[in-house]
Amino acid sequence: MEHKIATLKEIAKKLNFSVSTVSRALRNHPSIGLRTTAEVQKLAKELNYEPNQTALLFKQQKTHTIGLILPNLKEDFFSQAINGIEDIAKQKKYSVLIGQSHDDVEQEIQIVNAMKNHRVDGLIVSISKYTENYDHLLKLGRYNIPIVFFDRVPNLSNVDKVSSDIASGTRQAIEFLIKNKHRRIGLINGPKEMKSCKDRTDAYLEVLKRKRIKIDVSLLESTDLTQAKTFLAMENLLNLKKPPTAIVTINDYVALDAIQFARKAKLKINKDICFVSYANLPITSYLENPPLASVEQFPYEQAKKAAEILFNIFEKQKDSTVSERAFSNIVIEGQLIVNKKAT
Protein backbone atom coordinates (compact mmCIF):
# COMPACT_ATOMS: atom_id res chain seq x y z
CA MET A 1 0.00 0.00 0.00
CA GLU A 2 1.44 3.37 -1.04
CA HIS A 3 1.70 6.12 1.57
CA LYS A 4 1.02 9.58 0.20
CA ILE A 5 3.07 12.49 1.52
CA ALA A 6 1.02 14.49 4.01
CA THR A 7 0.32 18.10 3.05
CA LEU A 8 -0.58 21.29 4.89
CA LYS A 9 -4.06 21.10 3.34
CA GLU A 10 -4.59 17.59 4.72
CA ILE A 11 -3.58 18.63 8.25
CA ALA A 12 -5.77 21.74 8.03
CA LYS A 13 -8.76 19.71 6.84
CA LYS A 14 -8.43 17.12 9.62
CA LEU A 15 -8.20 19.81 12.31
CA ASN A 16 -10.63 22.23 10.66
CA PHE A 17 -8.00 24.97 10.65
CA SER A 18 -6.91 27.24 7.85
CA VAL A 19 -3.74 26.33 5.91
CA SER A 20 -2.09 29.56 7.07
CA THR A 21 -2.79 28.67 10.73
CA VAL A 22 -1.24 25.22 10.25
CA SER A 23 1.79 26.72 8.50
CA ARG A 24 2.37 29.20 11.33
CA ALA A 25 1.86 26.56 14.00
CA LEU A 26 4.49 24.33 12.42
CA ARG A 27 6.92 27.27 12.55
CA ASN A 28 6.04 28.09 16.19
CA HIS A 29 4.77 31.49 15.17
CA PRO A 30 3.91 33.64 18.24
CA SER A 31 0.51 34.59 16.78
CA ILE A 32 -0.70 30.99 17.20
CA GLY A 33 -1.75 29.77 20.65
CA LEU A 34 0.21 27.04 22.42
CA ARG A 35 -2.73 24.61 22.39
CA THR A 36 -3.29 25.00 18.65
CA THR A 37 0.46 24.74 17.96
CA ALA A 38 0.72 21.52 19.98
CA GLU A 39 -2.33 20.04 18.26
CA VAL A 40 -0.98 20.81 14.78
CA GLN A 41 2.51 19.56 15.49
CA LYS A 42 1.15 16.34 17.08
CA LEU A 43 -0.89 15.48 13.99
CA ALA A 44 1.98 16.46 11.66
CA LYS A 45 4.22 14.02 13.48
CA GLU A 46 1.61 11.24 13.29
CA LEU A 47 1.25 11.79 9.55
CA ASN A 48 5.06 11.98 9.06
CA TYR A 49 4.62 15.42 7.53
CA GLU A 50 7.74 16.94 5.94
CA PRO A 51 7.87 20.57 4.81
CA ASN A 52 8.16 21.23 1.10
CA GLN A 53 11.77 22.38 0.92
CA THR A 54 11.46 23.53 -2.68
CA ALA A 55 8.56 25.81 -1.81
CA LEU A 56 10.36 27.15 1.25
CA LEU A 57 13.53 27.88 -0.69
CA PHE A 58 11.57 29.55 -3.48
CA LYS A 59 9.92 31.76 -0.91
CA GLN A 60 13.29 32.61 0.65
CA GLN A 61 14.86 33.00 -2.83
CA LYS A 62 17.71 30.81 -1.59
CA THR A 63 18.71 27.24 -2.45
CA HIS A 64 21.45 26.89 0.17
CA THR A 65 23.67 25.58 -2.60
CA ILE A 66 26.93 27.04 -3.90
CA GLY A 67 28.56 26.14 -7.20
CA LEU A 68 32.23 25.22 -7.61
CA ILE A 69 33.95 25.17 -11.01
CA LEU A 70 37.43 23.66 -11.28
CA PRO A 71 39.74 22.87 -14.22
CA ASN A 72 40.23 19.21 -13.35
CA LEU A 73 39.13 17.06 -10.42
CA LYS A 74 41.88 14.48 -10.93
CA GLU A 75 44.55 16.90 -9.68
CA ASP A 76 45.35 16.52 -6.00
CA PHE A 77 45.67 20.30 -5.76
CA PHE A 78 41.98 20.75 -6.51
CA SER A 79 40.98 17.80 -4.32
CA GLN A 80 42.51 19.64 -1.39
CA ALA A 81 40.70 22.80 -2.48
CA ILE A 82 37.35 20.98 -2.49
CA ASN A 83 37.95 19.92 1.11
CA GLY A 84 38.49 23.53 2.16
CA ILE A 85 35.28 24.71 0.51
CA GLU A 86 33.17 21.80 1.76
CA ASP A 87 34.38 22.31 5.33
CA ILE A 88 33.05 25.88 5.32
CA ALA A 89 29.87 24.94 3.44
CA LYS A 90 29.14 22.20 5.98
CA GLN A 91 29.41 24.70 8.83
CA LYS A 92 26.92 26.96 7.03
CA LYS A 93 24.60 24.02 6.19
CA TYR A 94 25.11 24.51 2.45
CA SER A 95 25.54 21.94 -0.31
CA VAL A 96 28.27 22.22 -2.98
CA LEU A 97 27.54 21.57 -6.65
CA ILE A 98 30.79 20.77 -8.50
CA GLY A 99 31.63 21.01 -12.20
CA GLN A 100 34.93 20.68 -14.07
CA SER A 101 35.84 22.68 -17.17
CA HIS A 102 38.65 20.37 -18.31
CA ASP A 103 40.40 23.62 -19.25
CA ASP A 104 37.86 24.14 -22.04
CA VAL A 105 36.35 27.63 -22.25
CA GLU A 106 33.11 26.45 -23.92
CA GLN A 107 32.68 23.80 -21.23
CA GLU A 108 33.26 26.46 -18.58
CA ILE A 109 30.56 28.67 -20.14
CA GLN A 110 28.14 25.73 -20.25
CA ILE A 111 28.73 24.91 -16.58
CA VAL A 112 28.26 28.54 -15.54
CA ASN A 113 24.89 28.61 -17.32
CA ALA A 114 23.89 25.32 -15.70
CA MET A 115 24.82 26.66 -12.26
CA LYS A 116 22.72 29.77 -12.93
CA ASN A 117 19.75 27.68 -14.03
CA HIS A 118 20.08 25.54 -10.91
CA ARG A 119 19.77 28.76 -8.90
CA VAL A 120 23.01 28.43 -6.93
CA ASP A 121 23.33 31.18 -4.34
CA GLY A 122 26.95 31.87 -5.25
CA LEU A 123 29.90 30.53 -7.21
CA ILE A 124 33.56 29.75 -6.50
CA VAL A 125 35.70 29.42 -9.62
CA SER A 126 39.23 28.53 -10.67
CA ILE A 127 39.19 29.55 -14.33
CA SER A 128 40.40 27.44 -17.25
CA LYS A 129 43.92 28.05 -18.52
CA TYR A 130 42.54 29.57 -21.74
CA THR A 131 39.89 31.89 -20.27
CA GLU A 132 40.57 35.47 -21.34
CA ASN A 133 37.03 36.85 -21.59
CA TYR A 134 35.06 36.82 -18.34
CA ASP A 135 31.65 38.00 -19.57
CA HIS A 136 30.01 34.62 -18.96
CA LEU A 137 31.07 34.84 -15.31
CA LEU A 138 30.54 38.52 -14.62
CA LYS A 139 27.00 38.46 -16.05
CA LEU A 140 25.91 36.45 -13.00
CA GLY A 141 25.89 39.74 -11.12
CA ARG A 142 22.61 40.53 -12.90
CA TYR A 143 21.07 37.53 -11.16
CA ASN A 144 22.50 38.49 -7.77
CA ILE A 145 24.86 35.48 -7.84
CA PRO A 146 28.23 36.55 -6.39
CA ILE A 147 31.47 34.93 -7.56
CA VAL A 148 34.77 34.43 -5.75
CA PHE A 149 37.80 33.30 -7.77
CA PHE A 150 40.73 31.34 -6.38
CA ASP A 151 44.11 30.01 -7.57
CA ARG A 152 43.59 30.75 -11.27
CA VAL A 153 42.14 34.22 -11.04
CA PRO A 154 41.35 36.93 -13.63
CA ASN A 155 43.50 40.02 -13.90
CA LEU A 156 40.61 42.27 -12.84
CA SER A 157 40.25 44.64 -9.90
CA ASN A 158 36.46 44.54 -9.56
CA VAL A 159 36.20 40.89 -8.50
CA ASP A 160 36.75 38.91 -5.30
CA LYS A 161 39.76 36.60 -5.50
CA VAL A 162 42.23 34.52 -3.53
CA SER A 163 45.52 33.41 -5.02
CA SER A 164 49.03 32.28 -4.24
CA ASP A 165 51.89 34.74 -4.56
CA ILE A 166 53.52 33.19 -7.63
CA ALA A 167 56.17 35.91 -7.86
CA SER A 168 57.32 35.32 -4.30
CA GLY A 169 57.42 31.54 -4.78
CA THR A 170 59.37 31.93 -8.01
CA ARG A 171 61.93 34.21 -6.39
CA GLN A 172 62.45 31.62 -3.65
CA ALA A 173 62.88 28.85 -6.25
CA ILE A 174 65.40 30.72 -8.42
CA GLU A 175 67.40 31.98 -5.43
CA PHE A 176 67.49 28.42 -4.07
CA LEU A 177 68.94 27.11 -7.35
CA ILE A 178 71.49 29.93 -7.57
CA LYS A 179 72.55 29.20 -4.01
CA ASN A 180 73.11 25.61 -5.14
CA LYS A 181 75.55 26.80 -7.85
CA HIS A 182 73.18 26.72 -10.83
CA ARG A 183 73.60 29.44 -13.44
CA ARG A 184 71.85 27.92 -16.45
CA ILE A 185 68.27 27.76 -15.17
CA GLY A 186 65.45 26.84 -17.54
CA LEU A 187 61.79 27.69 -17.08
CA ILE A 188 58.89 25.65 -18.44
CA ASN A 189 55.94 27.96 -18.00
CA GLY A 190 52.25 27.52 -18.83
CA PRO A 191 49.97 29.13 -21.44
CA LYS A 192 50.35 32.89 -21.87
CA GLU A 193 46.64 33.34 -21.08
CA MET A 194 47.31 32.48 -17.44
CA LYS A 195 48.12 35.54 -15.34
CA SER A 196 50.33 33.44 -13.06
CA CYS A 197 52.62 32.62 -15.98
CA LYS A 198 53.48 36.25 -16.58
CA ASP A 199 54.12 36.68 -12.84
CA ARG A 200 56.40 33.64 -12.91
CA THR A 201 58.41 34.89 -15.92
CA ASP A 202 58.75 38.41 -14.51
CA ALA A 203 60.03 37.10 -11.17
CA TYR A 204 62.45 34.71 -12.92
CA LEU A 205 63.96 37.56 -14.96
CA GLU A 206 64.03 39.91 -11.97
CA VAL A 207 66.07 37.49 -9.83
CA LEU A 208 68.58 36.74 -12.60
CA LYS A 209 69.05 40.45 -13.21
CA ARG A 210 69.45 41.18 -9.53
CA LYS A 211 71.97 38.34 -9.15
CA ARG A 212 73.81 39.58 -12.26
CA ILE A 213 73.35 36.34 -14.14
CA LYS A 214 73.18 36.64 -17.90
CA ILE A 215 69.62 36.29 -19.22
CA ASP A 216 69.19 33.84 -22.07
CA VAL A 217 65.62 33.84 -23.45
CA SER A 218 66.23 30.46 -25.11
CA LEU A 219 65.94 29.01 -21.60
CA LEU A 220 62.27 30.10 -21.49
CA GLU A 221 59.83 27.47 -22.72
CA SER A 222 56.10 26.90 -22.28
CA THR A 223 53.63 24.02 -22.23
CA ASP A 224 49.87 23.67 -22.42
CA LEU A 225 50.29 21.23 -19.50
CA THR A 226 50.01 18.18 -21.77
CA GLN A 227 52.78 15.60 -21.80
CA ALA A 228 53.44 16.11 -25.51
CA LYS A 229 54.03 19.86 -25.16
CA THR A 230 56.15 19.35 -22.04
CA PHE A 231 58.29 16.79 -23.90
CA LEU A 232 58.72 19.31 -26.73
CA ALA A 233 59.78 22.01 -24.25
CA MET A 234 62.31 19.62 -22.71
CA GLU A 235 63.65 18.64 -26.13
CA ASN A 236 64.20 22.31 -26.99
CA LEU A 237 66.01 22.98 -23.71
CA LEU A 238 68.23 19.92 -23.84
CA ASN A 239 69.19 20.59 -27.47
CA LEU A 240 70.63 24.01 -26.61
CA LYS A 241 74.36 24.45 -27.08
CA LYS A 242 74.49 25.10 -23.35
CA PRO A 243 71.53 23.22 -21.86
CA PRO A 244 70.23 24.10 -18.41
CA THR A 245 71.51 22.35 -15.30
CA ALA A 246 68.23 23.07 -13.53
CA ILE A 247 64.65 23.64 -14.68
CA VAL A 248 61.70 25.27 -12.93
CA THR A 249 58.35 23.85 -14.07
CA ILE A 250 54.86 25.31 -13.73
CA ASN A 251 53.65 22.47 -11.49
CA ASP A 252 54.51 19.04 -10.13
CA TYR A 253 52.69 17.18 -12.90
CA VAL A 254 54.73 18.98 -15.55
CA ALA A 255 57.83 18.22 -13.48
CA LEU A 256 56.98 14.50 -13.58
CA ASP A 257 56.73 14.58 -17.38
CA ALA A 258 59.95 16.60 -17.62
CA ILE A 259 61.76 14.12 -15.36
CA GLN A 260 60.51 11.25 -17.49
CA PHE A 261 61.89 12.91 -20.63
CA ALA A 262 65.22 13.61 -18.95
CA ARG A 263 65.53 9.95 -17.95
CA LYS A 264 64.88 8.87 -21.53
CA ALA A 265 67.70 11.22 -22.53
CA LYS A 266 69.97 9.23 -20.16
CA LEU A 267 70.34 12.12 -17.70
CA LYS A 268 70.70 11.43 -13.99
CA ILE A 269 68.08 13.33 -12.03
CA ASN A 270 69.47 15.68 -9.38
CA LYS A 271 72.98 15.11 -10.74
CA ASP A 272 73.03 15.94 -14.44
CA ILE A 273 69.87 18.00 -14.19
CA CYS A 274 67.66 19.24 -11.34
CA PHE A 275 64.05 20.32 -11.10
CA VAL A 276 62.03 22.69 -8.92
CA SER A 277 58.25 22.92 -9.31
CA TYR A 278 55.04 24.26 -7.76
CA ALA A 279 52.22 22.86 -5.62
CA ASN A 280 54.22 20.47 -3.39
CA LEU A 281 51.88 17.57 -4.12
CA PRO A 282 52.21 14.39 -1.99
CA ILE A 283 52.70 12.25 -5.11
CA THR A 284 56.27 13.51 -5.55
CA SER A 285 57.32 11.89 -2.27
CA TYR A 286 56.94 8.47 -3.93
CA LEU A 287 59.56 9.23 -6.56
CA GLU A 288 63.04 7.76 -6.26
CA ASN A 289 64.45 11.06 -7.54
CA PRO A 290 61.87 13.79 -6.86
CA PRO A 291 62.26 17.51 -7.65
CA LEU A 292 64.78 19.27 -5.40
CA ALA A 293 62.01 21.50 -4.09
CA SER A 294 58.44 22.60 -4.74
CA VAL A 295 56.57 25.79 -3.92
CA GLU A 296 53.69 25.08 -1.54
CA GLN A 297 50.63 27.06 -2.72
CA PHE A 298 48.24 26.05 0.10
CA PRO A 299 45.20 24.98 -1.96
CA TYR A 300 43.11 24.12 1.12
CA GLU A 301 43.72 27.53 2.67
CA GLN A 302 43.11 29.35 -0.63
CA ALA A 303 39.78 27.62 -1.22
CA LYS A 304 38.67 27.88 2.40
CA LYS A 305 39.31 31.62 2.34
CA ALA A 306 37.38 31.93 -0.93
CA ALA A 307 34.41 30.17 0.69
CA GLU A 308 34.61 32.43 3.74
CA ILE A 309 34.54 35.49 1.46
CA LEU A 310 31.49 34.13 -0.39
CA PHE A 311 29.52 33.54 2.79
CA ASN A 312 30.51 36.99 4.04
CA ILE A 313 29.01 38.39 0.82
CA PHE A 314 25.79 36.48 1.56
CA GLU A 315 25.61 38.17 4.96
CA LYS A 316 26.11 41.60 3.41
CA GLN A 317 23.36 40.88 0.88
CA LYS A 318 20.92 40.59 3.79
CA ASP A 319 21.81 44.09 4.97
CA SER A 320 19.72 46.50 2.92
CA THR A 321 21.81 49.44 4.19
CA VAL A 322 24.93 48.18 2.33
CA SER A 323 24.87 49.73 -1.15
CA GLU A 324 28.53 49.24 -2.05
CA ARG A 325 31.32 47.00 -0.82
CA ALA A 326 35.04 46.63 -1.33
CA PHE A 327 36.32 43.67 -3.32
CA SER A 328 38.66 41.19 -1.64
CA ASN A 329 42.05 40.43 -3.15
CA ILE A 330 43.79 37.96 -0.85
CA VAL A 331 47.29 36.84 -1.82
CA ILE A 332 48.72 33.93 0.16
CA GLU A 333 52.50 33.75 0.43
CA GLY A 334 54.00 30.69 -1.25
CA GLN A 335 56.62 28.66 0.60
CA LEU A 336 59.50 26.75 -1.01
CA ILE A 337 59.62 23.25 0.48
CA VAL A 338 62.99 21.57 -0.01
CA ASN A 339 62.76 17.82 -0.53
CA LYS A 340 65.25 16.27 1.88
CA LYS A 341 65.09 13.01 -0.07
CA ALA A 342 66.45 14.80 -3.15
CA THR A 343 69.24 16.83 -1.51
Side-chain angles (χ1 to χ4, degrees):
M1 181 177 177
E2 290 187 6
H3 295 278
K4 292 183 178 179
I5 298 173
T7 65
L8 289 176
K9 287 183 178 180
E10 183 180 351
I11 297 172
K13 185 177 180 180
K14 285 181 179 293
L15 295 174
N16 199 27
F17 292 151
S18 69
V19 172
S20 61
T21 295
V22 171
S23 177
R24 290 191 181 96
L26 289 171
R27 290 184 284 115
N28 293 304
H29 197 281
S31 66
I32 306 301
L34 293 177
R35 183 176 177 179
T36 299
T37 296
E39 197 173 350
V40 169
Q41 292 186 359
K42 181 175 181 292
L43 181 58
K45 186 176 182 181
E46 291 173 357
L47 297 176
N48 293 316
Y49 168 78
E50 293 183 4
N52 186 331
Q53 292 296 331
T54 302
L56 287 174
L57 294 172
F58 181 79
K59 185 176 181 181
Q60 298 169 358
Q61 294 188 323
K62 290 290 181 182
T63 62
H64 290 93
T65 301
I66 60 173
L68 171 59
I69 302 178
L70 302 170
N72 205 317
L73 295 179
K74 74 178 182 180
E75 292 190 21
D76 187 75
F77 180 95
F78 291 116
S79 296
Q80 294 180 46
I82 291 171
N83 290 338
I85 291 166
E86 287 188 329
D87 283 350
I88 297 299
K90 183 179 179 181
Q91 292 175 19
K92 302 293 183 178
K93 301 188 186 310
Y94 265 68
S95 298
V96 182
L97 189 62
I98 303 174
Q100 52 183 337
S101 68
H102 294 291
D103 276 323
D104 182 284
V105 177
E106 290 304 316
Q107 175 79 353
E108 185 177 87
I109 292 172
Q110 184 179 342
I111 296 171
V112 169
N113 288 329
M115 295 286 188
K116 173 179 70 70
N117 294 336
H118 278 82
R119 296 171 58 84
V120 295
D121 296 337
L123 205 57
I124 299 174
V125 181
S126 183
I127 58 178
S128 87
K129 62 189 177 187
Y130 297 120
T131 300
E132 291 184 284
N133 186 305
Y134 312 108
D135 289 348
H136 60 292
L137 292 157
L138 300 181
K139 74 177 184 181
L140 294 185
R142 304 177 205 160
Y143 305 96
N144 203 30
I145 301 175
I147 300 180
V148 180
F149 298 92
F150 83 99
D151 183 51
R152 297 188 190 175
V153 301
N155 190 21
L156 299 173
S157 59
N158 60 334
V159 297
D160 294 284
K161 52 190 175 181
V162 183
S163 60
S164 174
D165 190 341
I166 294 297
S168 171
T170 301
R171 282 192 287 270
Q172 293 177 55
I174 303 301
E175 288 170 356
F176 166 78
L177 289 172
I178 293 173
K179 184 178 180 181
N180 281 273
K181 312 302 182 185
H182 293 282
R183 294 297 181 270
R184 295 284 292 174
I185 301 171
L187 174 63
I188 301 180
N189 217 335
K192 63 179 178 59
E193 291 87 351
M194 297 173 67
K195 174 185 176 296
S196 59
C197 292
K198 183 179 184 306
D199 294 341
R200 190 176 288 106
T201 299
D202 289 347
Y204 166 90
L205 296 173
E206 180 264 312
V207 174
L208 293 185
K209 184 177 180 181
R210 175 161 46 84
K211 294 292 185 177
R212 298 183 179 179
I213 295 176
K214 183 180 179 181
I215 294 173
D216 183 351
V217 294
S218 66
L219 289 169
L220 298 173
E221 286 287 337
S222 63
T223 177
D224 61 2
L225 310 185
T226 64
Q227 185 184 71
K229 287 296 179 70
T230 299
F231 278 6
L232 179 59
M234 282 295 295
E235 183 178 8
N236 292 339
L237 289 172
L238 296 184
N239 282 338
L240 291 174
K241 187 175 181 180
K242 290 184 178 180
T245 59
I247 299 175
V248 176
T249 66
I250 182 175
N251 64 33
D252 289 328
Y253 292 106
V254 171
L256 294 178
D257 288 334
I259 287 172
Q260 183 180 346
F261 187 92
R263 282 200 179 114
K264 289 180 178 178
K266 308 300 182 184
L267 295 176
K268 293 181 179 179
I269 308 302
N270 298 330
K271 290 185 179 179
D272 299 326
I273 192 166
C274 301
F275 293 88
V276 171
S277 56
Y278 296 76
N280 190 38
L281 299 181
I283 190 174
T284 59
S285 65
Y286 294 97
L287 295 177
E288 183 179 352
N289 300 113
L292 284 180
S294 188
V295 178
E296 173 61 67
Q297 295 176 279
F298 304 103
Y300 179 92
E301 288 77 6
Q302 280 193 58
K304 180 181 177 184
K305 188 62 183 177
E308 290 172 344
I309 291 171
L310 184 61
F311 283 104
N312 186 46
I313 294 172
F314 291 163
E315 288 300 316
K316 290 181 179 178
Q317 286 179 333
K318 296 177 184 177
D319 189 348
S320 59
T321 64
V322 178
S323 57
E324 293 185 7
R325 65 176 182 84
F327 290 98
S328 299
N329 181 14
I330 308 298
V331 180
I332 296 177
E333 186 82 7
Q335 181 182 354
L336 186 72
I337 306 298
V338 177
N339 194 323
K340 294 180 180 178
K341 183 178 177 182
T343 53

